[in-house]
Amino acid sequence: MQTVPAAEHASGQQHPIGLYLRVWALLFVLSTLSYLVDYFRIEGYLRWFLIVAFMLMKAGLIIAVFMHMRWERLALIVAILLPPFCLLVLVGLMHVEADYTFSTRGAYFTSDVQQTAVHPGTGQERR
Amino acid sequence: MAQRPPTSREDLLASPAGWQGFVADWSADREAFKVPWGKAMMWIFLVSDTFVFSCFLVGYMTVRVSTTAVWPNPSEVFALTIGGTSVPLILIAIMTFILISSSGTMAMAVNYAYRRERVKTALLMLATAAFGASFVGLQAFEWTHLIVDEGVRPWGNAMGAAQFGAAFFTITGFHGLHVSAGVIYLLVVALKVLLGRYERSGNYQIVEIAGLYWHFVDLVWVFIFAFFYLW
């Protein structure tokens, strides 16, 4: 579709509709793929890799195109995207802490049967 | 009251791009973000919301890793029986597709708003709101199923780890609240677009700002889908 990028109308983010439709279709494909990971019961580290990869691709597309981030100035991009990276530290700290809690619970509070049941932290043995 | 864009095209062309522009913008004595104030405020709100949602997800990770009880398998918990066969996680898949569709219609609404096609803009926004409402409806169905049939409570559940209930209701509840608020927000803006409120001021920026909020709700669902339902 050819539309006029008329200067008096282009007061904001102006991009061809086709771009949005392509991203929309891509999001559908990526969602289907991440659903299929579950449908075909892929387990272990491959499951983790695929889930996180599809998640990041979808998030990237939404932020970059739908939220127009790739057309913003770097000052705004840095202000928005940098702070959430601090959360990775929190994730790391809490994971270590939870791992410790799990091991002490396993050592003192559970029977032998339950102890061998699950450890989601390792990404193995889901049930 | 017509809101003038903070920087003219000439200003933007004159200021450097990339890292030089970043330094120039942040060390400027008047404005660091060369976008309308409403858009900057929405972004700041969304960053704060990111931290709230992240704290919920990190808390969920912490309890899930530390529990020695069996965690219910979401793939089976959220399965639906269609035509006699149980399809794993299908309810959540449908909700995901609904939300992505709503993001698509919203992106196009923003586009038409800047082209000043106000009827198309309003209709696309109403479609977005309808998708959002159906998402909340499916979530109500999902909650009812879990509370009534499976006996899941915020303090426990019959399928294993008690923390499953706490994490589930907190995370999906807070997200559902955002979707519900978004539906109302979109309806209000769509109505004002239709009535010609922004035609008079010539400023359709509000549609993009509402869109930012809506895409963020979809974005959060991407993470919930991956970490809560696929883990």
Side-chain angles (χ1 to χ4, degrees), chain A residues 44-77:
Chain A
Y45 287 110
L46 180 61
R47 181 187 185 89
W48 265 104
F49 173 75
L50 290 175
I51 288 175
V52 173
F54 292 140
M55 178 189 81
L56 291 178
M57 281 189 254
K58 282 168 72 178
L61 281 174
I62 292 172
I63 297 172
V65 180
F66 281 177
M67 299 173 96
H68 305 136
M69 190 69 102
R70 58 173 288 204
W71 296 286
E72 300 291 0
R73 289 178 65 79
L74 197 57
L76 187 68
I77 296 175

Side-chain angles (χ1 to χ4, degrees), chain A residues 72-75, chain B residues 10-25 27 34:
Chain A
E72 300 291 0
R73 289 178 65 79
L74 197 57
Chain B
E10 290 70 33
D11 286 347
L12 278 177
L13 285 177
S15 54
W19 289 104
Q20 276 195 330
F22 162 70
V23 174
D25 287 352
S27 57
K34 299 187 187 309

